[in-house]
Coordinates of all heavy atoms in Angstrom, one line a residue:
M15 N -116.2 149.6 -116.0 CA -117.3 149.6 -115.0 C -116.7 149.7 -113.6 O -115.9 148.8 -113.3 CB -118.2 148.4 -115.2 CG -119.5 148.5 -114.5 SD -120.7 149.6 -115.3 CE -122.1 149.4 -114.3
N16 N -117.2 150.6 -112.8 CA -116.7 150.7 -111.5 C -117.5 149.8 -110.5 O -118.5 149.3 -110.9 CB -116.8 152.1 -111.0 CG -115.7 153.0 -111.6 OD1 -114.6 152.6 -111.8 ND2 -116.1 154.2 -111.9
Q17 N -116.9 149.6 -109.4 CA -117.6 148.8 -108.4 C -117.7 149.6 -107.1 O -117.0 150.6 -106.9 CB -116.7 147.6 -108.0 CG -116.7 146.5 -109.1 CD -116.0 145.3 -108.6 OE1 -115.0 145.4 -107.9 NE2 -116.4 144.1 -109.0
C18 N -118.7 149.2 -106.3 CA -118.9 149.9 -105.0 C -117.7 149.6 -104.2 O -117.3 148.4 -104.0 CB -120.2 149.4 -104.3 SG -120.3 150.0 -102.6
S19 N -117.1 150.6 -103.6 CA -115.9 150.4 -102.8 C -116.2 149.7 -101.5 O -115.3 149.2 -100.8 CB -115.2 151.8 -102.5 OG -116.1 152.7 -101.9
V20 N -117.4 149.7 -101.1 CA -117.8 149.1 -99.8 C -118.1 147.6 -100.0 O -117.6 146.8 -99.3 CB -119.0 149.8 -99.1 CG1 -119.4 149.1 -97.8 CG2 -118.6 151.3 -98.9
C21 N -119.0 147.3 -100.9 CA -119.5 145.9 -101.0 C -119.1 145.2 -102.4 O -119.2 144.1 -102.5 CB -121.0 145.8 -100.9 SG -121.9 146.6 -102.2
G22 N -118.5 146.0 -103.3 CA -118.1 145.4 -104.6 C -119.2 145.3 -105.6 O -119.0 144.7 -106.6
H23 N -120.4 145.8 -105.3 CA -121.5 145.7 -106.2 C -121.2 146.5 -107.5 O -120.6 147.6 -107.4 CB -122.7 146.2 -105.5 CG -124.0 146.1 -106.3 ND1 -124.7 145.0 -106.4 CD2 -124.6 147.1 -107.0 CE1 -125.7 145.2 -107.2 NE2 -125.7 146.4 -107.6
Q24 N -121.5 146.0 -108.6 CA -121.3 146.7 -109.9 C -122.1 148.0 -109.9 O -123.3 147.9 -109.7 CB -121.8 145.8 -111.1 CG -120.9 144.6 -111.3 CD -119.8 145.0 -112.4 OE1 -120.1 145.4 -113.5 NE2 -118.5 144.9 -112.0
R25 N -121.5 149.1 -110.1 CA -122.2 150.3 -110.0 C -122.4 150.9 -111.4 O -121.7 150.8 -112.3 CB -121.4 151.3 -109.1 CG -120.0 151.7 -109.6 CD -119.5 152.9 -108.9 NE -120.0 154.1 -109.4 CZ -119.6 155.3 -109.1 NH1 -118.5 155.4 -108.3 NH2 -120.1 156.4 -109.6
N26 N -123.6 151.6 -111.4 CA -124.0 152.4 -112.6 C -123.4 153.8 -112.4 O -123.5 154.4 -111.3 CB -125.5 152.4 -112.7 CG -126.0 153.0 -114.0 OD1 -125.5 154.0 -114.5 ND2 -126.9 152.4 -114.6
D27 N -122.8 154.3 -113.5 CA -122.2 155.6 -113.4 C -123.1 156.7 -113.0 O -122.7 157.7 -112.4 CB -121.5 156.0 -114.7 CG -120.2 155.2 -114.9 OD1 -119.6 154.8 -113.8 OD2 -119.7 155.0 -116.0
R28 N -124.4 156.6 -113.3 CA -125.4 157.6 -113.0 C -125.9 157.5 -111.6 O -126.5 158.4 -111.1 CB -126.5 157.6 -114.0 CG -126.1 158.4 -115.3 CD -127.2 158.3 -116.3 NE -127.3 156.9 -116.8 CZ -128.3 156.5 -117.7 NH1 -129.1 157.4 -118.2 NH2 -128.3 155.3 -118.1
D29 N -125.7 156.4 -111.0 CA -126.1 156.2 -109.6 C -125.3 157.1 -108.6 O -124.1 157.3 -108.8 CB -126.0 154.8 -109.2 CG -127.1 153.9 -109.7 OD1 -128.1 154.5 -110.2 OD2 -127.0 152.7 -109.6
V30 N -126.0 157.6 -107.6 CA -125.4 158.4 -106.6 C -125.1 157.5 -105.4 O -124.1 157.7 -104.7 CB -126.3 159.6 -106.2 CG1 -125.5 160.5 -105.2 CG2 -126.7 160.4 -107.4
K31 N -125.9 156.5 -105.3 CA -125.8 155.6 -104.1 C -125.9 154.2 -104.5 O -126.5 153.8 -105.5 CB -127.1 156.0 -103.2 CG -126.9 155.7 -101.8 CD -128.2 156.2 -101.1 CE -128.2 155.9 -99.6 NZ -129.5 156.3 -99.0
C32 N -125.2 153.3 -103.7 CA -125.1 151.9 -104.0 C -126.5 151.3 -103.7 O -126.9 151.4 -102.5 CB -124.0 151.3 -103.2 SG -123.9 149.5 -103.4
P33 N -127.1 150.6 -104.6 CA -128.4 149.9 -104.3 C -128.2 148.8 -103.4 O -129.2 148.3 -102.7 CB -128.9 149.5 -105.6 CG -127.7 149.4 -106.5 CD -126.7 150.4 -106.0
E34 N -127.0 148.2 -103.3 CA -126.8 147.0 -102.5 C -126.6 147.4 -101.0 O -127.2 146.8 -100.2 CB -125.6 146.3 -103.1 CG -125.4 144.9 -102.6 CD -126.5 144.0 -103.2 OE1 -127.1 144.3 -104.2 OE2 -126.7 142.9 -102.6
C35 N -125.7 148.3 -100.7 CA -125.3 148.5 -99.3 C -125.7 149.9 -98.9 O -125.6 150.3 -97.7 CB -123.8 148.3 -99.1 SG -122.8 149.5 -99.9
G36 N -126.1 150.8 -99.8 CA -126.6 152.1 -99.5 C -125.5 153.2 -99.2 O -125.8 154.3 -98.8
S37 N -124.2 152.8 -99.6 CA -123.2 153.8 -99.4 C -123.1 154.8 -100.6 O -123.5 154.3 -101.7 CB -121.8 153.1 -99.2 OG -121.5 152.5 -100.4
F38 N -122.7 156.0 -100.4 CA -122.7 157.0 -101.4 C -121.5 156.8 -102.4 O -120.4 156.5 -101.9 CB -122.7 158.4 -100.8 CG -124.0 158.8 -100.3 CD1 -124.4 158.7 -99.0 CD2 -125.0 159.4 -101.2 CE1 -125.6 159.1 -98.5 CE2 -126.2 159.8 -100.7 CZ -126.5 159.6 -99.4
Y39 N -121.8 157.0 -103.6 CA -120.7 157.0 -104.6 C -120.1 158.4 -104.7 O -119.0 158.5 -105.3 CB -121.2 156.6 -106.0 CG -121.7 155.2 -106.1 CD1 -122.7 154.9 -107.0 CD2 -121.1 154.2 -105.4 CE1 -123.1 153.6 -107.1 CE2 -121.5 152.9 -105.6 CZ -122.5 152.6 -106.4 OH -123.0 151.3 -106.6
S40 N -120.8 159.3 -104.2 CA -120.5 160.7 -104.4 C -119.0 161.0 -104.1 O -118.5 160.6 -103.0 CB -121.4 161.6 -103.5 OG -120.8 162.9 -103.5
K41 N -118.4 161.7 -105.0 CA -116.9 162.0 -104.8 C -116.8 163.1 -103.7 O -115.7 163.3 -103.1 CB -116.4 162.6 -106.1 CG -115.7 161.5 -106.9 CD -114.2 161.4 -106.5 CE -113.6 160.1 -107.0 NZ -112.3 159.8 -106.3
I42 N -117.9 163.9 -103.5 CA -117.8 165.0 -102.6 C -117.4 164.6 -101.2 O -116.5 165.2 -100.6 CB -119.1 165.8 -102.6 CG1 -119.3 166.4 -104.0 CG2 -119.1 166.9 -101.6 CD1 -120.7 167.0 -104.2
A43 N -118.0 163.6 -100.7 CA -117.7 163.1 -99.4 C -116.3 162.7 -99.3 O -115.6 162.9 -98.3 CB -118.7 162.0 -99.0
E44 N -115.8 162.0 -100.4 CA -114.4 161.5 -100.4 C -113.5 162.7 -100.4 O -112.5 162.7 -99.7 CB -114.3 160.7 -101.7 CG -113.5 159.5 -101.6 CD -113.4 158.7 -102.9 OE1 -114.5 158.2 -103.3 OE2 -112.4 158.7 -103.5
I45 N -113.8 163.7 -101.2 CA -113.0 164.9 -101.4 C -112.9 165.6 -100.0 O -111.8 166.1 -99.6 CB -113.5 165.8 -102.5 CG1 -113.3 165.2 -103.9 CG2 -112.8 167.2 -102.4 CD1 -114.0 165.9 -105.0
I46 N -114.0 165.7 -99.3 CA -114.0 166.4 -98.0 C -113.1 165.7 -97.1 O -112.3 166.3 -96.4 CB -115.4 166.5 -97.5 CG1 -116.2 167.5 -98.3 CG2 -115.4 166.9 -96.0 CD1 -117.7 167.6 -98.0
A47 N -113.2 164.4 -97.1 CA -112.4 163.6 -96.2 C -110.9 163.7 -96.5 O -110.0 163.9 -95.6 CB -112.8 162.1 -96.3
E48 N -110.6 163.7 -97.8 CA -109.2 163.9 -98.2 C -108.7 165.3 -97.8 O -107.6 165.4 -97.4 CB -109.1 163.8 -99.8 CG -108.8 162.4 -100.3 CD -108.9 162.3 -101.8 OE1 -108.8 163.4 -102.5 OE2 -109.2 161.2 -102.3
Q49 N -109.6 166.3 -98.0 CA -109.2 167.7 -97.7 C -108.9 167.8 -96.2 O -107.9 168.4 -95.8 CB -110.4 168.6 -98.0 CG -109.9 170.0 -98.3 CD -108.9 170.1 -99.4 OE1 -109.0 169.4 -100.4 NE2 -108.0 171.0 -99.3
E50 N -109.8 167.1 -95.4 CA -109.6 167.2 -93.9 C -108.2 166.5 -93.5 O -107.5 167.0 -92.7 CB -110.7 166.5 -93.2 CG -111.9 167.4 -93.0 CD -113.1 166.7 -92.5 OE1 -113.1 165.4 -92.4 OE2 -114.1 167.4 -92.2
A51 N -107.9 165.4 -94.2 CA -106.7 164.7 -93.9 C -105.5 165.6 -94.3 O -104.5 165.7 -93.6 CB -106.6 163.4 -94.7
L52 N -105.7 166.3 -95.4 CA -104.6 167.2 -95.9 C -104.4 168.4 -95.0 O -103.3 168.7 -94.7 CB -105.0 167.7 -97.3 CG -103.9 168.2 -98.2 CD1 -103.1 167.0 -98.7 CD2 -104.4 169.0 -99.4
E53 N -105.5 168.9 -94.5 CA -105.5 170.1 -93.6 C -104.8 169.6 -92.3 O -104.1 170.4 -91.7 CB -106.9 170.6 -93.3 CG -107.2 171.7 -94.3 CD -108.7 172.1 -94.3 OE1 -109.3 171.8 -93.3 OE2 -109.2 172.6 -95.3
E54 N -105.1 168.4 -91.9 CA -104.5 168.0 -90.6 C -103.0 167.8 -90.8 O -102.3 168.1 -89.8 CB -105.1 166.6 -90.2 CG -105.0 166.5 -88.7 CD -105.3 165.1 -88.2 OE1 -104.6 164.2 -88.6 OE2 -106.2 164.9 -87.4
M55 N -102.6 167.5 -92.0 CA -101.1 167.3 -92.2 C -100.4 168.7 -92.1 O -99.3 168.7 -91.8 CB -100.9 166.8 -93.6 CG -101.3 165.4 -93.8 SD -100.5 164.2 -92.8 CE -98.9 164.2 -93.6
Q56 N -101.2 169.8 -92.3 CA -100.6 171.1 -92.3 C -100.5 171.6 -90.8 O -99.7 172.5 -90.5 CB -101.5 172.1 -93.0 CG -101.9 171.7 -94.4 CD -100.7 171.8 -95.4 OE1 -99.9 172.7 -95.3 NE2 -100.7 170.9 -96.3
T57 N -101.3 171.0 -89.9 CA -101.2 171.5 -88.5 C -100.1 170.8 -87.8 O -99.6 169.8 -88.2 CB -102.6 171.1 -87.8 OG1 -102.7 169.7 -87.8 CG2 -103.7 171.7 -88.6
F58 N -99.8 171.4 -86.6 CA -98.7 170.9 -85.8 C -99.1 169.5 -85.3 O -98.2 168.6 -85.3 CB -98.5 171.9 -84.6 CG -97.4 171.5 -83.7 CD1 -96.1 171.5 -84.1 CD2 -97.7 171.0 -82.4 CE1 -95.1 171.2 -83.3 CE2 -96.7 170.7 -81.6 CZ -95.4 170.7 -82.0
R59 N -100.4 169.3 -84.9 CA -100.8 168.1 -84.4 C -100.7 167.0 -85.5 O -100.2 165.9 -85.2 CB -102.3 168.2 -84.0 CG -102.8 167.0 -83.2 CD -104.2 167.4 -82.6 NE -105.1 167.6 -83.7 CZ -106.0 166.7 -84.1 NH1 -106.1 165.5 -83.5 NH2 -106.8 166.9 -85.1
G60 N -101.0 167.3 -86.7 CA -100.9 166.4 -87.8 C -99.5 166.0 -88.1 O -99.2 164.8 -88.3
R61 N -98.6 167.0 -88.0 CA -97.2 166.7 -88.2 C -96.6 165.8 -87.1 O -95.8 164.9 -87.4 CB -96.4 168.0 -88.3 CG -96.7 168.7 -89.6 CD -95.9 170.0 -89.8 NE -96.1 170.6 -91.1 CZ -95.5 171.7 -91.5 NH1 -94.7 172.3 -90.7 NH2 -95.8 172.1 -92.7
C62 N -97.0 166.1 -85.9 CA -96.5 165.3 -84.8 C -97.0 163.9 -85.0 O -96.2 162.9 -84.8 CB -97.1 165.8 -83.5 SG -96.3 167.3 -83.0
K63 N -98.3 163.7 -85.4 CA -98.8 162.4 -85.6 C -98.0 161.7 -86.7 O -97.7 160.5 -86.6 CB -100.2 162.5 -86.1 CG -101.3 162.1 -85.1 CD -102.6 162.0 -85.8 CE -103.8 162.3 -84.9 NZ -105.0 162.4 -85.7
K64 N -97.7 162.4 -87.8 CA -96.9 161.8 -88.9 C -95.6 161.4 -88.4 O -95.1 160.3 -88.8 CB -96.8 162.8 -90.0 CG -96.4 162.2 -91.4 CD -96.4 163.2 -92.4 CE -94.9 163.4 -92.9 NZ -94.8 164.6 -93.8
I65 N -94.9 162.2 -87.6 CA -93.6 161.9 -87.1 C -93.6 160.7 -86.2 O -92.8 159.8 -86.4 CB -93.0 163.1 -86.4 CG1 -92.7 164.2 -87.4 CG2 -91.8 162.7 -85.6 CD1 -92.4 165.6 -86.7
L66 N -94.6 160.7 -85.3 CA -94.7 159.5 -84.4 C -95.1 158.2 -85.1 O -94.7 157.2 -84.6 CB -95.7 159.9 -83.3 CG -95.3 160.9 -82.3 CD1 -96.4 161.3 -81.4 CD2 -94.1 160.5 -81.5
A67 N -95.8 158.4 -86.2 CA -96.3 157.2 -86.9 C -95.2 156.6 -87.8 O -95.3 155.4 -88.2 CB -97.5 157.5 -87.8
S68 N -94.2 157.3 -88.1 CA -93.1 156.8 -89.0 C -92.2 155.8 -88.3 O -92.1 155.8 -87.0 CB -92.3 158.0 -89.5 OG -91.5 158.5 -88.5
D69 N -91.5 155.0 -89.1 CA -90.7 154.0 -88.5 C -89.4 154.6 -87.8 O -89.0 154.2 -86.7 CB -90.2 153.0 -89.6 CG -91.4 152.2 -90.1 OD1 -92.3 152.0 -89.4 OD2 -91.3 151.9 -91.3
D70 N -88.9 155.6 -88.5 CA -87.7 156.3 -87.9 C -88.1 157.7 -87.5 O -88.1 158.6 -88.2 CB -86.6 156.3 -89.0 CG -85.3 156.7 -88.4 OD1 -85.3 157.2 -87.3 OD2 -84.3 156.4 -89.1
V71 N -88.4 157.8 -86.2 CA -88.9 159.0 -85.6 C -87.9 160.2 -85.8 O -88.2 161.3 -86.2 CB -89.3 158.9 -84.2 CG1 -89.7 160.2 -83.5 CG2 -90.5 157.9 -84.1
K72 N -86.7 159.9 -85.5 CA -85.6 160.9 -85.6 C -85.5 161.4 -87.0 O -85.4 162.6 -87.2 CB -84.3 160.2 -85.1 CG -83.3 161.2 -84.6 CD -82.1 160.5 -84.0 CE -80.9 161.4 -84.0 NZ -79.7 160.6 -83.7
Q73 N -85.5 160.5 -87.9 CA -85.3 160.9 -89.3 C -86.5 161.7 -89.8 O -86.3 162.7 -90.5 CB -85.2 159.6 -90.2 CG -84.6 159.9 -91.6 CD -83.2 160.5 -91.5 OE1 -82.4 160.1 -90.6 NE2 -82.9 161.5 -92.3
A74 N -87.7 161.3 -89.4 CA -88.9 162.0 -89.8 C -88.9 163.5 -89.2 O -89.3 164.4 -89.8 CB -90.1 161.3 -89.3
L75 N -88.4 163.6 -87.9 CA -88.4 164.8 -87.3 C -87.4 165.8 -88.0 O -87.7 166.9 -88.2 CB -87.9 164.6 -85.8 CG -88.1 165.8 -84.9 CD1 -89.5 166.2 -84.7 CD2 -87.4 165.5 -83.5
L76 N -86.3 165.2 -88.4 CA -85.2 166.0 -89.1 C -85.8 166.5 -90.4 O -85.6 167.7 -90.7 CB -84.0 165.1 -89.3 CG -83.0 165.1 -88.2 CD1 -81.9 164.1 -88.5 CD2 -82.4 166.5 -87.9
S77 N -86.5 165.7 -91.2 CA -87.0 166.1 -92.5 C -88.1 167.1 -92.3 O -88.2 168.0 -93.1 CB -87.5 164.9 -93.3 OG -88.6 164.3 -92.6
E78 N -88.9 167.0 -91.2 CA -89.9 168.0 -91.0 C -89.3 169.3 -90.6 O -89.7 170.4 -91.1 CB -90.8 167.5 -89.8 CG -91.9 166.6 -90.1 CD -92.9 167.2 -91.1 OE1 -93.3 168.3 -90.8 OE2 -93.3 166.5 -92.0
L79 N -88.2 169.3 -89.8 CA -87.5 170.5 -89.5 C -86.9 171.2 -90.7 O -87.0 172.4 -90.9 CB -86.4 170.2 -88.4 CG -86.9 170.1 -87.0 CD1 -85.7 169.6 -86.1 CD2 -87.5 171.4 -86.5
K80 N -86.4 170.3 -91.6 CA -85.8 170.9 -92.8 C -86.8 171.5 -93.7 O -86.6 172.6 -94.2 CB -85.1 169.7 -93.6 CG -83.7 169.5 -93.4 CD -83.1 168.4 -94.2 CE -81.9 167.8 -93.6 NZ -81.6 166.5 -94.3
L81 N -88.0 170.9 -93.8 CA -89.1 171.4 -94.5 C -89.6 172.7 -93.9 O -89.8 173.7 -94.6 CB -90.3 170.4 -94.5 CG -90.4 169.4 -95.6 CD1 -91.5 168.5 -95.4 CD2 -90.5 170.1 -97.0
A82 N -89.7 172.8 -92.6 CA -90.1 174.0 -91.9 C -89.2 175.1 -92.2 O -89.5 176.3 -92.4 CB -90.3 173.7 -90.4
W83 N -87.9 174.8 -92.1 CA -86.8 175.8 -92.3 C -86.9 176.3 -93.8 O -86.8 177.5 -94.0 CB -85.5 175.2 -92.0 CG -84.4 176.2 -92.1 CD1 -83.3 176.2 -93.0 CD2 -84.2 177.4 -91.4 NE1 -82.5 177.3 -92.9 CE2 -83.0 178.1 -91.9 CE3 -84.9 178.0 -90.3 CZ2 -82.5 179.3 -91.3 CZ3 -84.4 179.2 -89.8 CH2 -83.3 179.8 -90.3
A84 N -87.0 175.4 -94.7 CA -87.1 175.8 -96.1 C -88.4 176.6 -96.4 O -88.4 177.5 -97.3 CB -87.1 174.5 -97.0
G85 N -89.4 176.4 -95.6 CA -90.7 177.1 -95.8 C -90.6 178.5 -95.3 O -91.5 179.3 -95.6
L86 N -89.6 178.8 -94.4 CA -89.5 180.1 -93.8 C -89.0 181.1 -94.9 O -87.9 180.9 -95.5 CB -88.5 180.1 -92.7 CG -89.1 179.8 -91.3 CD1 -88.0 179.9 -90.3 CD2 -90.2 180.8 -90.9
T87 N -89.8 182.1 -95.2 CA -89.4 183.1 -96.1 C -88.6 184.2 -95.4 O -88.5 184.2 -94.2 CB -90.6 183.7 -96.8 OG1 -91.4 184.3 -95.8 CG2 -91.4 182.7 -97.6
K88 N -88.0 185.0 -96.2 CA -87.2 186.1 -95.6 C -88.1 187.0 -94.8 O -87.7 187.5 -93.7 CB -86.5 186.9 -96.7 CG -85.2 186.3 -97.1 CD -84.5 187.1 -98.2 CE -83.2 186.4 -98.6 NZ -82.6 187.0 -99.8
T89 N -89.3 187.2 -95.3 CA -90.3 188.1 -94.6 C -90.6 187.4 -93.2 O -90.7 188.1 -92.2 CB -91.6 188.2 -95.4 OG1 -91.3 188.1 -96.8 CG2 -92.3 189.5 -95.1
G90 N -90.8 186.1 -93.2 CA -91.1 185.4 -92.0 C -90.0 185.5 -91.0 O -90.2 185.8 -89.8
V91 N -88.7 185.4 -91.5 CA -87.6 185.5 -90.6 C -87.5 187.0 -90.0 O -87.3 187.2 -88.8 CB -86.3 185.2 -91.3 CG1 -85.1 185.5 -90.5 CG2 -86.3 183.7 -91.7
F92 N -87.8 187.9 -90.9 CA -87.8 189.3 -90.5 C -88.9 189.6 -89.4 O -88.6 190.3 -88.4 CB -88.0 190.3 -91.7 CG -88.0 191.7 -91.4 CD1 -86.8 192.3 -91.0 CD2 -89.1 192.5 -91.4 CE1 -86.7 193.7 -90.7 CE2 -89.1 193.8 -91.0 CZ -87.9 194.4 -90.7
A93 N -90.0 189.0 -89.6 CA -91.1 189.2 -88.7 C -90.8 188.6 -87.3 O -91.0 189.2 -86.3 CB -92.4 188.5 -89.2
L94 N -90.1 187.4 -87.4 CA -89.7 186.8 -86.1 C -88.6 187.7 -85.4 O -88.7 187.8 -84.2 CB -89.1 185.4 -86.5 CG -90.0 184.2 -86.6 CD1 -89.3 183.0 -87.0 CD2 -90.8 184.0 -85.3
F95 N -87.8 188.2 -86.2 CA -86.7 189.1 -85.7 C -87.3 190.3 -85.0 O -86.9 190.7 -83.9 CB -85.8 189.5 -86.8 CG -84.7 190.4 -86.4 CD1 -83.6 190.0 -85.6 CD2 -84.7 191.8 -86.8 CE1 -82.6 190.9 -85.3 CE2 -83.7 192.6 -86.4 CZ -82.7 192.2 -85.6
V96 N -88.3 190.9 -85.7 CA -89.0 192.1 -85.1 C -89.6 191.8 -83.8 O -89.5 192.5 -82.8 CB -90.0 192.7 -86.2 CG1 -90.9 193.7 -85.5 CG2 -89.2 193.3 -87.4
I97 N -90.3 190.6 -83.8 CA -91.0 190.2 -82.6 C -90.0 190.0 -81.5 O -90.2 190.4 -80.3 CB -91.8 188.9 -82.9 CG1 -93.0 189.2 -83.8 CG2 -92.3 188.3 -81.6 CD1 -93.7 188.0 -84.4
F98 N -88.9 189.3 -81.8 CA -87.9 189.0 -80.8 C -87.3 190.3 -80.2 O -87.2 190.5 -79.0 CB -86.8 188.2 -81.5 CG -85.7 187.9 -80.5 CD1 -85.8 186.9 -79.6 CD2 -84.4 188.5 -80.6 CE1 -84.8 186.5 -78.7 CE2 -83.4 188.2 -79.7 CZ -83.6 187.2 -78.8
V99 N -87.0 191.3 -81.1 CA -86.5 192.6 -80.7 C -87.5 193.3 -79.8 O -87.1 193.9 -78.8 CB -86.1 193.5 -81.9 CG1 -85.8 194.9 -81.5 CG2 -84.9 192.9 -82.6
F100 N -88.8 193.3 -80.2 CA -89.8 193.9 -79.5 C -89.9 193.4 -78.0 O -89.9 194.1 -77.1 CB -91.1 193.8 -80.2 CG -92.3 194.5 -79.5 CD1 -92.4 195.9 -79.6 CD2 -93.2 193.8 -78.9 CE1 -93.5 196.5 -79.0 CE2 -94.3 194.4 -78.2 CZ -94.4 195.8 -78.3
V101 N -89.9 192.0 -78.0 CA -90.0 191.4 -76.7 C -88.8 191.7 -75.8 O -88.9 192.0 -74.6 CB -90.2 189.8 -76.9 CG1 -90.0 189.1 -75.5 CG2 -91.5 189.5 -77.5
F102 N -87.6 191.7 -76.5 CA -86.4 192.0 -75.8 C -86.4 193.4 -75.2 O -86.0 193.7 -74.1 CB -85.2 191.8 -76.8 CG -83.9 192.0 -76.2 CD1 -83.3 191.0 -75.4 CD2 -83.1 193.2 -76.4 CE1 -82.1 191.2 -74.8 CE2 -81.9 193.4 -75.8 CZ -81.3 192.4 -75.0
A103 N -86.8 194.4 -76.1 CA -86.9 195.8 -75.6 C -87.9 195.9 -74.4 O -87.6 196.7 -73.5 CB -87.4 196.6 -76.8
L104 N -89.0 195.2 -74.5 CA -90.0 195.2 -73.4 C -89.4 194.7 -72.1 O -89.5 195.3 -71.1 CB -91.1 194.3 -73.9 CG -92.5 194.7 -73.3 CD1 -93.0 196.0 -74.0 CD2 -93.5 193.6 -73.5
V105 N -88.6 193.6 -72.2 CA -88.0 193.0 -71.0 C -87.0 193.9 -70.5 O -86.9 194.2 -69.2 CB -87.4 191.6 -71.4 CG1 -86.5 191.1 -70.3 CG2 -88.5 190.6 -71.7
V106 N -86.2 194.5 -71.3 CA -85.1 195.4 -70.9 C -85.7 196.6 -70.2 O -85.2 197.1 -69.2 CB -84.2 195.8 -72.1 CG1 -83.3 197.0 -71.7 CG2 -83.4 194.6 -72.5
S107 N -86.8 197.2 -70.8 CA -87.4 198.4 -70.2 C -88.0 198.1 -68.8 O -88.1 199.0 -68.0 CB -88.4 199.0 -71.2 OG -89.5 198.1 -71.3
V108 N -88.5 196.9 -68.7 CA -89.1 196.5 -67.4 C -88.0 196.4 -66.3 O -88.2 196.8 -65.2 CB -89.9 195.2 -67.5 CG1 -90.3 194.6 -66.2 CG2 -91.2 195.5 -68.3
L109 N -86.9 195.8 -66.7 CA -85.8 195.6 -65.8 C -85.2 197.0 -65.5 O -84.6 197.3 -64.6 CB -84.7 194.7 -66.4 CG -85.2 193.2 -66.5 CD1 -84.1 192.4 -67.3 CD2 -85.4 192.6 -65.2
Ligands
LIG221 ZN1 -122.2 148.9 -102.0

């Protein structure tokens, strides 16, 4: 038997809402919150937050950089190279 995560009231599996405190048992709200947290982890802001929140900021930053580097595919590197060459060509032609 599960309990309400908010007030600890014994919950009925068929109930959608806690009769004691009125909080929803629905997993959907929980899943959405989890998803949002996960999505934030993927963003630059989320990563910065994670790095700043860790005990060893330097170590966290290094591991994040390693992850980012490992995540770079050959196509990604090639795309970066093309962009770099394009910008370089543009700068040279302007000069
Ligand atoms: Zn409750």
Side-chain angles (χ1 to χ4, degrees):
M15 194 76 177
N16 286 322
Q17 285 184 326
C18 171
S19 56
V20 178
C21 68
H23 183 79
Q24 287 269 302
R25 59 168 284 193
N26 190 314
D27 284 336
R28 274 175 296 177
D29 279 348
V30 185
K31 207 175 173 183
C32 175
E34 196 68 23
C35 68
S37 67
F38 282 96
Y39 293 147
S40 169
K41 264 273 167 197
I42 295 168
E44 222 178 293
I45 289 166
I46 289 169
E48 269 174 23
Q49 205 61 35
E50 277 174 351
L52 203 74
E53 269 167 23
E54 205 193 59
M55 292 299 286
Q56 311 284 326
T57 63
F58 181 69
R59 193 169 62 99
R61 284 184 179 182
C62 286
K63 253 194 210 171
K64 198 179 113 192
I65 290 166
L66 289 174
S68 72
D69 293 330
D70 194 341
V71 173
K72 204 173 154 191
Q73 200 58 43
L75 192 66
L76 274 173
S77 65
E78 278 294 318
L79 281 175
K80 266 183 207 163
L81 269 176
W83 183 245
L86 270 182
T87 57
K88 276 182 183 170
T89 330
V91 173
F92 182 71
L94 277 175
F95 178 72
V96 169
I97 289 165
F98 180 76
V99 168
F100 182 74
V101 169
F102 184 74
L104 209 72
V105 169
V106 166
S107 68
V108 166
L109 293 172

